[in-house]
PDB file of all heavy atoms in Angstrom:
ATOM      1  N   SER N 878      86.949  -0.534 121.954  1.00 82.00           N
ATOM      2  CA  SER N 878      86.096  -0.934 123.087  1.00 82.00           C
ATOM      3  C   SER N 878      86.168  -2.417 123.387  1.00 82.00           C
ATOM      4  O   SER N 878      85.519  -2.906 124.304  1.00 82.00           O
ATOM      5  CB  SER N 878      84.635  -0.529 122.800  1.00 82.00           C
ATOM      6  OG  SER N 878      84.195  -1.165 121.619  1.00 82.00           O
ATOM      7  N   SER N 879      86.934  -3.182 122.594  1.00 84.00           N
ATOM      8  CA  SER N 879      87.038  -4.618 122.849  1.00 84.00           C
ATOM      9  C   SER N 879      87.929  -4.865 124.048  1.00 84.00           C
ATOM     10  O   SER N 879      88.621  -3.963 124.528  1.00 84.00           O
ATOM     11  CB  SER N 879      87.596  -5.323 121.599  1.00 84.00           C
ATOM     12  OG  SER N 879      88.971  -4.975 121.433  1.00 84.00           O
ATOM     13  N   ALA N 880      87.945  -6.094 124.489  1.00 63.00           N
ATOM     14  CA  ALA N 880      88.768  -6.445 125.643  1.00 63.00           C
ATOM     15  C   ALA N 880      90.193  -6.742 125.230  1.00 63.00           C
ATOM     16  O   ALA N 880      91.042  -7.020 126.082  1.00 63.00           O
ATOM     17  CB  ALA N 880      88.154  -7.663 126.347  1.00 63.00           C
ATOM     18  N   ASP N 881      90.422  -6.713 123.889  1.00 78.00           N
ATOM     19  CA  ASP N 881      91.767  -7.013 123.408  1.00 78.00           C
ATOM     20  C   ASP N 881      92.745  -5.917 123.811  1.00 78.00           C
ATOM     21  O   ASP N 881      92.364  -4.765 124.027  1.00 78.00           O
ATOM     22  CB  ASP N 881      91.743  -7.157 121.885  1.00 78.00           C
ATOM     23  CG  ASP N 881      90.865  -8.334 121.458  1.00 78.00           C
ATOM     24  OD1 ASP N 881      90.797  -9.319 122.210  1.00 78.00           O
ATOM     25  OD2 ASP N 881      90.283  -8.203 120.369  1.00 78.00           O
ATOM     26  N   PRO N 882      94.057  -6.195 123.845  1.00 82.00           N
ATOM     27  CA  PRO N 882      95.041  -5.140 124.136  1.00 82.00           C
ATOM     28  C   PRO N 882      95.033  -4.086 123.024  1.00 82.00           C
ATOM     29  O   PRO N 882      94.593  -4.338 121.903  1.00 82.00           O
ATOM     30  CB  PRO N 882      96.369  -5.892 124.183  1.00 82.00           C
ATOM     31  CG  PRO N 882      96.029  -7.335 124.198  1.00 82.00           C
ATOM     32  CD  PRO N 882      94.648  -7.507 123.659  1.00 82.00           C
ATOM     33  N   ALA N 883      95.558  -2.900 123.344  1.00 86.00           N
ATOM     34  CA  ALA N 883      95.635  -1.828 122.352  1.00 86.00           C
ATOM     35  C   ALA N 883      96.501  -2.258 121.184  1.00 86.00           C
ATOM     36  O   ALA N 883      97.470  -2.990 121.355  1.00 86.00           O
ATOM     37  CB  ALA N 883      96.205  -0.562 122.988  1.00 86.00           C
ATOM     38  N   VAL N 884      96.143  -1.727 120.016  1.00 90.00           N
ATOM     39  CA  VAL N 884      96.862  -2.059 118.792  1.00 90.00           C
ATOM     40  C   VAL N 884      97.951  -1.014 118.580  1.00 90.00           C
ATOM     41  O   VAL N 884      97.691   0.188 118.586  1.00 90.00           O
ATOM     42  CB  VAL N 884      95.915  -2.094 117.594  1.00 90.00           C
ATOM     43  CG1 VAL N 884      96.683  -2.363 116.310  1.00 90.00           C
ATOM     44  CG2 VAL N 884      94.841  -3.153 117.813  1.00 90.00           C
ATOM     45  N   ALA N 885      99.180  -1.485 118.408  1.00 90.00           N
ATOM     46  CA  ALA N 885     100.292  -0.558 118.165  1.00 90.00           C
ATOM     47  C   ALA N 885     100.164   0.044 116.775  1.00 90.00           C
ATOM     48  O   ALA N 885     100.048  -0.697 115.786  1.00 90.00           O
ATOM     49  CB  ALA N 885     101.624  -1.281 118.321  1.00 90.00           C
ATOM     50  N   ALA N 886     100.183   1.401 116.707  1.00 89.00           N
ATOM     51  CA  ALA N 886     100.081   2.081 115.410  1.00 89.00           C
ATOM     52  C   ALA N 886     101.448   2.450 114.868  1.00 89.00           C
ATOM     53  O   ALA N 886     101.600   2.731 113.688  1.00 89.00           O
ATOM     54  CB  ALA N 886      99.222   3.333 115.547  1.00 89.00           C
ATOM     55  N   GLY N 887     102.443   2.545 115.728  1.00 92.00           N
ATOM     56  CA  GLY N 887     103.780   2.907 115.273  1.00 92.00           C
ATOM     57  C   GLY N 887     104.496   3.757 116.296  1.00 92.00           C
ATOM     58  O   GLY N 887     103.983   4.010 117.388  1.00 92.00           O
ATOM     59  N   THR N 888     105.679   4.183 115.925  1.00 96.00           N
ATOM     60  CA  THR N 888     106.497   5.027 116.803  1.00 96.00           C
ATOM     61  C   THR N 888     106.659   6.418 116.181  1.00 96.00           C
ATOM     62  O   THR N 888     106.944   6.546 114.970  1.00 96.00           O
ATOM     63  CB  THR N 888     107.879   4.397 117.027  1.00 96.00           C
ATOM     64  OG1 THR N 888     107.699   3.108 117.621  1.00 96.00           O
ATOM     65  CG2 THR N 888     108.726   5.250 117.939  1.00 96.00           C
ATOM     66  N   PHE N 889     106.517   7.465 116.990  1.00 96.00           N
ATOM     67  CA  PHE N 889     106.651   8.859 116.517  1.00 96.00           C
ATOM     68  C   PHE N 889     107.793   9.523 117.284  1.00 96.00           C
ATOM     69  O   PHE N 889     107.846   9.461 118.507  1.00 96.00           O
ATOM     70  CB  PHE N 889     105.365   9.651 116.746  1.00 96.00           C
ATOM     71  CG  PHE N 889     105.420  11.021 116.141  1.00 96.00           C
ATOM     72  CD1 PHE N 889     104.991  11.236 114.837  1.00 96.00           C
ATOM     73  CD2 PHE N 889     105.923  12.102 116.862  1.00 96.00           C
ATOM     74  CE1 PHE N 889     105.047  12.491 114.276  1.00 96.00           C
ATOM     75  CE2 PHE N 889     105.975  13.361 116.289  1.00 96.00           C
ATOM     76  CZ  PHE N 889     105.542  13.565 114.991  1.00 96.00           C
ATOM     77  N   THR N 890     108.676  10.130 116.548  1.00 96.00           N
ATOM     78  CA  THR N 890     109.832  10.805 117.155  1.00 96.00           C
ATOM     79  C   THR N 890     109.523  12.285 117.318  1.00 96.00           C
ATOM     80  O   THR N 890     109.235  12.991 116.330  1.00 96.00           O
ATOM     81  CB  THR N 890     111.088  10.632 116.292  1.00 96.00           C
ATOM     82  OG1 THR N 890     111.357   9.228 116.165  1.00 96.00           O
ATOM     83  CG2 THR N 890     112.273  11.317 116.935  1.00 96.00           C
ATOM     84  N   VAL N 891     109.574  12.774 118.533  1.00 96.00           N
ATOM     85  CA  VAL N 891     109.311  14.193 118.830  1.00 96.00           C
ATOM     86  C   VAL N 891     110.604  14.992 118.641  1.00 96.00           C
ATOM     87  O   VAL N 891     111.629  14.679 119.263  1.00 96.00           O
ATOM     88  CB  VAL N 891     108.780  14.370 120.260  1.00 96.00           C
ATOM     89  CG1 VAL N 891     108.714  15.846 120.623  1.00 96.00           C
ATOM     90  CG2 VAL N 891     107.417  13.720 120.385  1.00 96.00           C
ATOM     91  N   ASN N 892     110.556  15.990 117.781  1.00 96.00           N
ATOM     92  CA  ASN N 892     111.681  16.911 117.550  1.00 96.00           C
ATOM     93  C   ASN N 892     111.383  18.269 118.187  1.00 96.00           C
ATOM     94  O   ASN N 892     110.222  18.663 118.349  1.00 96.00           O
ATOM     95  CB  ASN N 892     111.932  17.095 116.059  1.00 96.00           C
ATOM     96  CG  ASN N 892     112.272  15.784 115.373  1.00 96.00           C
ATOM     97  OD1 ASN N 892     112.965  14.941 115.962  1.00 96.00           O
ATOM     98  ND2 ASN N 892     111.784  15.606 114.153  1.00 96.00           N
ATOM     99  N   GLN N 893     112.447  19.016 118.481  1.00 96.00           N
ATOM    100  CA  GLN N 893     112.265  20.337 119.072  1.00 96.00           C
ATOM    101  C   GLN N 893     111.841  21.345 117.994  1.00 96.00           C
ATOM    102  O   GLN N 893     112.255  21.244 116.850  1.00 96.00           O
ATOM    103  CB  GLN N 893     113.544  20.816 119.767  1.00 96.00           C
ATOM    104  CG  GLN N 893     114.738  21.020 118.854  1.00 96.00           C
ATOM    105  CD  GLN N 893     115.519  19.726 118.631  1.00 96.00           C
ATOM    106  OE1 GLN N 893     115.035  18.624 118.979  1.00 96.00           O
ATOM    107  NE2 GLN N 893     116.696  19.829 118.051  1.00 96.00           N
ATOM    108  N   THR N 894     111.062  22.327 118.393  1.00 96.00           N
ATOM    109  CA  THR N 894     110.630  23.405 117.497  1.00 96.00           C
ATOM    110  C   THR N 894     110.254  24.614 118.329  1.00 96.00           C
ATOM    111  O   THR N 894     109.998  24.503 119.537  1.00 96.00           O
ATOM    112  CB  THR N 894     109.432  22.976 116.645  1.00 96.00           C
ATOM    113  OG1 THR N 894     109.183  23.982 115.658  1.00 96.00           O
ATOM    114  CG2 THR N 894     108.168  22.832 117.494  1.00 96.00           C
ATOM    115  N   ILE N 895     110.268  25.755 117.695  1.00 96.00           N
ATOM    116  CA  ILE N 895     109.794  26.972 118.362  1.00 96.00           C
ATOM    117  C   ILE N 895     108.791  27.672 117.455  1.00 96.00           C
ATOM    118  O   ILE N 895     108.872  27.595 116.225  1.00 96.00           O
ATOM    119  CB  ILE N 895     110.943  27.941 118.730  1.00 96.00           C
ATOM    120  CG1 ILE N 895     111.735  28.356 117.485  1.00 96.00           C
ATOM    121  CG2 ILE N 895     111.846  27.355 119.804  1.00 96.00           C
ATOM    122  CD1 ILE N 895     112.759  29.447 117.782  1.00 96.00           C
ATOM    123  N   LEU N 896     107.860  28.364 118.054  1.00 96.00           N
ATOM    124  CA  LEU N 896     106.862  29.172 117.369  1.00 96.00           C
ATOM    125  C   LEU N 896     106.856  30.561 117.991  1.00 96.00           C
ATOM    126  O   LEU N 896     107.123  30.713 119.196  1.00 96.00           O
ATOM    127  CB  LEU N 896     105.475  28.542 117.486  1.00 96.00           C
ATOM    128  CG  LEU N 896     105.296  27.143 116.896  1.00 96.00           C
ATOM    129  CD1 LEU N 896     103.891  26.618 117.217  1.00 96.00           C
ATOM    130  CD2 LEU N 896     105.532  27.162 115.391  1.00 96.00           C
ATOM    131  N   THR N 897     106.581  31.596 117.159  1.00 97.00           N
ATOM    132  CA  THR N 897     106.468  32.964 117.680  1.00 97.00           C
ATOM    133  C   THR N 897     105.032  33.430 117.550  1.00 97.00           C
ATOM    134  O   THR N 897     104.284  32.974 116.667  1.00 97.00           O
ATOM    135  CB  THR N 897     107.391  33.941 116.921  1.00 97.00           C
ATOM    136  OG1 THR N 897     107.127  33.843 115.525  1.00 97.00           O
ATOM    137  CG2 THR N 897     108.852  33.615 117.202  1.00 97.00           C
ATOM    138  N   SER N 898     104.671  34.306 118.448  1.00 96.00           N
ATOM    139  CA  SER N 898     103.294  34.805 118.440  1.00 96.00           C
ATOM    140  C   SER N 898     102.984  35.590 117.175  1.00 96.00           C
ATOM    141  O   SER N 898     101.824  35.666 116.754  1.00 96.00           O
ATOM    142  CB  SER N 898     103.045  35.673 119.675  1.00 96.00           C
ATOM    143  OG  SER N 898     103.995  36.736 119.729  1.00 96.00           O
ATOM    144  N   VAL N 899     103.985  36.212 116.563  1.00 97.00           N
ATOM    145  CA  VAL N 899     103.824  36.933 115.296  1.00 97.00           C
ATOM    146  C   VAL N 899     105.024  36.625 114.430  1.00 97.00           C
ATOM    147  O   VAL N 899     106.115  36.309 114.928  1.00 97.00           O
ATOM    148  CB  VAL N 899     103.696  38.459 115.503  1.00 97.00           C
ATOM    149  CG1 VAL N 899     102.383  38.821 116.160  1.00 97.00           C
ATOM    150  CG2 VAL N 899     104.867  38.995 116.315  1.00 97.00           C
ATOM    151  N   ALA N 900     104.826  36.689 113.129  1.00 96.00           N
ATOM    152  CA  ALA N 900     105.926  36.397 112.209  1.00 96.00           C
ATOM    153  C   ALA N 900     106.791  37.619 111.944  1.00 96.00           C
ATOM    154  O   ALA N 900     107.915  37.496 111.461  1.00 96.00           O
ATOM    155  CB  ALA N 900     105.375  35.859 110.894  1.00 96.00           C
ATOM    156  N   ASN N 901     106.271  38.794 112.260  1.00 96.00           N
ATOM    157  CA  ASN N 901     107.049  40.022 112.062  1.00 96.00           C
ATOM    158  C   ASN N 901     106.533  41.075 113.025  1.00 96.00           C
ATOM    159  O   ASN N 901     105.371  41.034 113.444  1.00 96.00           O
ATOM    160  CB  ASN N 901     106.953  40.515 110.614  1.00 96.00           C
ATOM    161  CG  ASN N 901     105.519  40.734 110.179  1.00 96.00           C
ATOM    162  OD1 ASN N 901     104.868  41.686 110.592  1.00 96.00           O
ATOM    163  ND2 ASN N 901     105.022  39.825 109.330  1.00 96.00           N
ATOM    164  N   ALA N 902     107.397  42.009 113.339  1.00 96.00           N
ATOM    165  CA  ALA N 902     107.020  43.065 114.277  1.00 96.00           C
ATOM    166  C   ALA N 902     108.091  44.140 114.243  1.00 96.00           C
ATOM    167  O   ALA N 902     109.237  43.895 113.844  1.00 96.00           O
ATOM    168  CB  ALA N 902     106.860  42.500 115.691  1.00 96.00           C
ATOM    169  N   PRO N 903     107.747  45.345 114.678  1.00 97.00           N
ATOM    170  CA  PRO N 903     108.742  46.414 114.715  1.00 97.00           C
ATOM    171  C   PRO N 903     109.635  46.291 115.944  1.00 97.00           C
ATOM    172  O   PRO N 903     109.351  45.539 116.886  1.00 97.00           O
ATOM    173  CB  PRO N 903     107.882  47.671 114.781  1.00 97.00           C
ATOM    174  CG  PRO N 903     106.643  47.233 115.474  1.00 97.00           C
ATOM    175  CD  PRO N 903     106.395  45.829 115.015  1.00 97.00           C
ATOM    176  N   ILE N 904     110.684  47.066 115.927  1.00 97.00           N
ATOM    177  CA  ILE N 904     111.601  47.123 117.061  1.00 97.00           C
ATOM    178  C   ILE N 904     110.826  47.559 118.300  1.00 97.00           C
ATOM    179  O   ILE N 904     109.986  48.454 118.251  1.00 97.00           O
ATOM    180  CB  ILE N 904     112.748  48.095 116.760  1.00 97.00           C
ATOM    181  CG1 ILE N 904     113.574  47.566 115.583  1.00 97.00           C
ATOM    182  CG2 ILE N 904     113.633  48.324 117.981  1.00 97.00           C
ATOM    183  CD1 ILE N 904     114.487  48.586 114.983  1.00 97.00           C
ATOM    184  N   GLY N 905     111.140  46.838 119.424  1.00 96.00           N
ATOM    185  CA  GLY N 905     110.475  47.180 120.676  1.00 96.00           C
ATOM    186  C   GLY N 905     109.183  46.443 120.912  1.00 96.00           C
ATOM    187  O   GLY N 905     108.618  46.516 122.010  1.00 96.00           O
ATOM    188  N   ALA N 906     108.699  45.722 119.912  1.00 97.00           N
ATOM    189  CA  ALA N 906     107.450  44.977 120.085  1.00 97.00           C
ATOM    190  C   ALA N 906     107.695  43.760 120.982  1.00 97.00           C
ATOM    191  O   ALA N 906     108.776  43.172 121.005  1.00 97.00           O
ATOM    192  CB  ALA N 906     106.906  44.534 118.735  1.00 97.00           C
ATOM    193  N   THR N 907     106.666  43.378 121.733  1.00 97.00           N
ATOM    194  CA  THR N 907     106.748  42.185 122.583  1.00 97.00           C
ATOM    195  C   THR N 907     106.337  40.968 121.778  1.00 97.00           C
ATOM    196  O   THR N 907     105.243  40.925 121.202  1.00 97.00           O
ATOM    197  CB  THR N 907     105.843  42.344 123.815  1.00 97.00           C
ATOM    198  OG1 THR N 907     106.277  43.479 124.567  1.00 97.00           O
ATOM    199  CG2 THR N 907     105.912  41.098 124.677  1.00 97.00           C
ATOM    200  N   VAL N 908     107.242  39.982 121.743  1.00 98.00           N
ATOM    201  CA  VAL N 908     106.989  38.759 120.979  1.00 98.00           C
ATOM    202  C   VAL N 908     107.073  37.576 121.951  1.00 98.00           C
ATOM    203  O   VAL N 908     107.982  37.495 122.782  1.00 98.00           O
ATOM    204  CB  VAL N 908     108.013  38.595 119.849  1.00 98.00           C
ATOM    205  CG1 VAL N 908     107.779  37.272 119.107  1.00 98.00           C
ATOM    206  CG2 VAL N 908     107.932  39.779 118.886  1.00 98.00           C
ATOM    207  N   THR N 909     106.116  36.682 121.831  1.00 98.00           N
ATOM    208  CA  THR N 909     106.132  35.456 122.644  1.00 98.00           C
ATOM    209  C   THR N 909     106.704  34.325 121.815  1.00 98.00           C
ATOM    210  O   THR N 909     106.254  34.077 120.689  1.00 98.00           O
ATOM    211  CB  THR N 909     104.726  35.102 123.119  1.00 98.00           C
ATOM    212  OG1 THR N 909     104.204  36.176 123.909  1.00 98.00           O
ATOM    213  CG2 THR N 909     104.742  33.827 123.947  1.00 98.00           C
ATOM    214  N   VAL N 910     107.710  33.654 122.363  1.00 98.00           N
ATOM    215  CA  VAL N 910     108.287  32.496 121.705  1.00 98.00           C
ATOM    216  C   VAL N 910     107.901  31.254 122.508  1.00 98.00           C
ATOM    217  O   VAL N 910     108.061  31.210 123.733  1.00 98.00           O
ATOM    218  CB  VAL N 910     109.819  32.613 121.555  1.00 98.00           C
ATOM    219  CG1 VAL N 910     110.509  32.799 122.887  1.00 98.00           C
ATOM    220  CG2 VAL N 910     110.375  31.404 120.832  1.00 98.00           C
ATOM    221  N   ASN N 911     107.334  30.262 121.853  1.00 97.00           N
ATOM    222  CA  ASN N 911     106.932  28.996 122.473  1.00 97.00           C
ATOM    223  C   ASN N 911     107.832  27.886 121.954  1.00 97.00           C
ATOM    224  O   ASN N 911     108.010  27.738 120.731  1.00 97.00           O
ATOM    225  CB  ASN N 911     105.479  28.669 122.166  1.00 97.00           C
ATOM    226  CG  ASN N 911     104.529  29.689 122.780  1.00 97.00           C
ATOM    227  OD1 ASN N 911     104.514  29.856 123.998  1.00 97.00           O
ATOM    228  ND2 ASN N 911     103.745  30.339 121.949  1.00 97.00           N
ATOM    229  N   GLY N 912     108.394  27.102 122.882  1.00 96.00           N
ATOM    230  CA  GLY N 912     109.268  26.006 122.498  1.00 96.00           C
ATOM    231  C   GLY N 912     108.659  24.661 122.838  1.00 96.00           C
ATOM    232  O   GLY N 912     108.002  24.502 123.871  1.00 96.00           O
TER     233      GLY N 912
END
Side-chain angles (χ1 to χ4, degrees):
S878 59
S879 70
D881 297 328
V884 177
T888 301
F889 186 90
T890 301
V891 171
N892 300 323
Q893 64 274 12
T894 189
I895 58 173
L896 299 175
T897 54
S898 56
V899 290
N901 56 73
I904 296 165
T907 299
V908 177
T909 300
V910 58
N911 295 300

